[in-house]
Amino acid sequence: MKKFLVTILFVSLVSSGFSKDFEGRTFLIIFNKSELKANKTSTSYIELSLNNIFSTRSYSGNSDAAIIVKVPYENIDACQLADFFIRINADKVSSLGEIAYQIIDLDESKSTYQFLLNTLEAKTVDKNKKSGKPLKATPTP
C-alpha cells in the first residue's frame, strides 16, 4: 500500500512538471483613427477601461491605432472580447466591438499560419519526390 501511494505521488509530481500551463491569449484590436477622432477619444483612453482586467499596451502614431490585449483566460474569444463595455470618452460608454475596426486573435492566426506553412512544405516535398529532383538547401541566384 505504501509503495502504491509513493508511486501515485511520484507520477503526479512528474506529470505536473511536464504539463504546460496556459499562458493566455493575445488579441490585437485595431481602430480607425478618423473614428477615434470623431468620438473624441484615443487608444490610451480606451485602454484605461481594459487594463484593470487584462494586460494591455496601446499603440498610436503614423500607423493605425491599436491595442494589444493579453487575456489570461482560455475560453474568451474575439467575439466575447468585442462584447466588453468600455468608456469611449467622458460622456459615452459602448461595447468594444462598436468602436474597434477589427479584433484579431493572434494565437489563432499563428496556428493557422503554421498549418498553412506545413501544408505548403509537405506539398513541395511530395512534388520533388515525384519528379526525382533533390531539394535545394539554399537558393541559387
Side-chain angles (χ1 to χ4, degrees):
M1 182 69 171
K2 190 174 182 180
K3 288 182 182 181
F4 179 73
L5 291 175
V6 170
T7 305
I8 290 177
L9 179 65
F10 177 76
V11 169
S12 65
L13 288 174
V14 169
S15 65
S16 67
F18 288 109
S19 66
K20 184 179 178 184
D21 292 331
F22 181 72
E23 296 176 4
R25 295 179 84 147
T26 306
F27 294 94
L28 173 65
I29 305 169
I30 302 172
F31 299 92
N32 185 332
K33 281 190 166 187
S34 60
E35 189 174 345
L36 290 176
K37 192 173 185 178
N39 284 303
K40 299 176 184 161
T41 190
S42 67
T43 54
S44 299
Y45 193 85
I46 293 172
E47 181 187 19
L48 293 175
S49 297
L50 295 170
N51 69 1
N52 290 331
I53 305 168
F54 308 119
S55 173
T56 61
R57 173 164 280 168
S58 66
Y59 298 94
S60 61
N62 294 335
S63 63
D64 288 332
I67 298 176
I68 292 182
V69 178
K70 183 86 169 178
V71 177
Y73 312 111
E74 184 175 6
N75 55 354
I76 290 182
D77 62 0
C79 294
Q80 292 171 331
L81 189 62
D83 291 337
F84 273 85
F85 281 95
I86 57 165
R87 180 162 294 282
I88 294 176
N89 56 34
D91 302 324
K92 187 176 180 184
V93 174
S94 179
S95 69
L96 183 60
E98 288 182 30
I99 190 78
Y101 177 70
Q102 191 168 11
I103 300 175
I104 302 168
D105 184 345
L106 294 178
D107 296 322
E108 184 178 305
S109 299
K110 181 179 176 183
S111 63
T112 303
Y113 169 75
Q114 192 61 44
F115 172 76
L116 292 173
L117 185 64
N118 291 341
T119 304
L120 179 65
E121 287 176 354
K123 286 181 181 179
T124 305
V125 168
D126 288 343
K127 185 178 177 182
N128 286 335
K129 281 183 181 179
K130 288 179 183 177
S131 68
K133 294 180 182 177
L135 291 173
K136 291 184 178 179
T138 57
T140 55

